[in-house]
Amino acid sequence: MLVVMEKSTSEEKIQVMVNTPMTKPYKLVSREFKPENTQVTIGDAVFGNGSLPVIAGPCAVESQNQVLSIAISVKDAGAKIFRGGAFKPRTSPYSFQGLGKQGLIFLAKVREETGLPVVTEVMDVENFDLVEQYADLVQIGSRNMQNFSLLRRAGKSDRPVILKRGMSATLQEWLMAAEYIMEEGNNNIILCERGIRTFVRHSRNTLDLSVVPAVKKESHLPIIIDPSHAAGVRDQVISLAYASAALDADGVMIEVHNNPKEAMSDGAQSLYPEQFIEVMKKMNAIHTIVGNNSEKIPC
Ligand code: PEP
Ligand code: MN
């Protein structure tokens, strides 16, 4: 808060500004404003109640058979929500951009056949109405974390929103982006840590594990981890998935493909369905022992 006393000299004014802590640039998303955890429920999955729901599926929707085959296997392994991009925010304009509306139709069929809710990315305000019609929850991707008109539109939606962290966003910037959504009236927001860009070259991004307890201290919103986009390579995804299960995270999102070698995007980081089964078993075991730290000793 900036307190300026009426008769103070300009030097005193500066002194007051320096000594008085700023109020936070966000309010609705803060734990100060709402001390209890927000729980977001979609189908069988509850984010924010100490459980570890898993979202799984390919990076991109490629065909009806591809998504159905992957959905059946990830559901069998225990995934609660199916993911798949129909509108893909690709770094190169020459890369596969997604099937658009046809991809959404394929996702709707997956929901019909498997009963799994589906999440897909919405890239712009223009396509929001369309995506919203097909998706059970909408994802705002890393590259759009500060697309303020998109955030405001998401705030007017009745669909829960997964808000991915921008690849170079601070915790404060991320929470301010969530504030844009909540300020418009949508309280069902799930934050998703997906790795940040650092100087390292051995992985696609660097998974910021410590942001999970930091978010939990600062905000009541659930936070999930996407080890796939953080790692960029399959073997590291597996290790990071186990690390995610050991944290106090509220869920995990993993890319799985039935034929990663031929995938139209992110094949190198996509798990084979058999690997996903193993990962699910171990993540559940780890989470039972060390996850859900709500009872932890206060420090
Ligand atoms: C995705 O989840 O498909 C995606 C593009 O992720 P990110 O926005 O984290 O790069
Ligand atoms: Mn991807």
Side-chain angles (χ1 to χ4, degrees), residues 59 83 88-89 121 139 141-143 164 194 229 255:
C59 182
R83 64 148 286 149
K88 294 302 304 172
E121 177 159 355
Q139 173 175 312
S142 197
R143 291 157 190 81
K164 290 190 130 189
R194 47 76 76 199
H229 291 88
E255 285 186 343

Side-chain angles (χ1 to χ4, degrees), residues 39-200:
Q39 295 188 5
V40 180
T41 305
I42 302 121
D44 284 350
V46 184
F47 297 87
N49 71 346
S51 63
L52 192 74
V54 175
I55 302 170
C59 182
V61 177
E62 297 168 14
S63 71
Q64 186 69 83
N65 284 343
Q66 175 238 16
V67 279
L68 270 175
S69 147
I70 300 170
I72 290 165
S73 51
V74 298
K75 185 184 176 184
D76 275 356
K80 298 275 190 249
I81 295 175
F82 186 72
R83 64 148 286 149
F87 293 94
K88 294 302 304 172
R90 304 306 298 278
T91 303
S92 165
Y94 306 115
S95 301
F96 177 59
Q97 304 284 305
L99 298 180
K101 184 172 180 186
Q102 185 59 61
L104 299 175
I105 295 169
F106 291 156
L107 285 173
K109 183 79 174 163
V110 164
R111 176 178 44 230
E112 196 185 309
E113 297 278 318
T114 64
L116 287 178
V118 297
V119 58
T120 196
E121 177 159 355
V122 60
M123 274 174 51
D124 41 45
V125 173
E126 197 185 331
N127 283 309
F128 210 108
D129 289 359
L130 178 69
V131 172
E132 196 175 45
Q133 270 172 42
Y134 287 88
D136 296 287
L137 66 162
V138 294
Q139 173 175 312
I140 294 185
S142 197
R143 291 157 190 81
N144 263 321
M145 191 206 81
Q146 284 185 315
N147 179 338
F148 299 115
S149 44
L150 186 63
L151 297 172
R152 285 201 191 281
R153 175 62 185 82
K156 294 190 177 82
S157 177
D158 62 1
R159 296 284 186 254
V161 180
I162 292 182
L163 178 63
K164 290 190 130 189
R165 181 182 182 183
M167 59 187 81
S168 60
T170 63
L171 169 54
Q172 288 233 326
E173 287 162 343
W174 192 12
L175 291 179
M176 283 189 271
E179 184 84 11
Y180 267 88
I181 301 174
M182 203 173 266
E183 208 249 332
E184 293 289 340
N186 190 346
N187 296 330
N188 288 316
I189 303 169
I190 300 166
L191 301 170
C192 177
E193 160 62 26
R194 47 76 76 199
I196 48 172
R197 182 164 286 188
T198 66
F199 55 88
V200 306

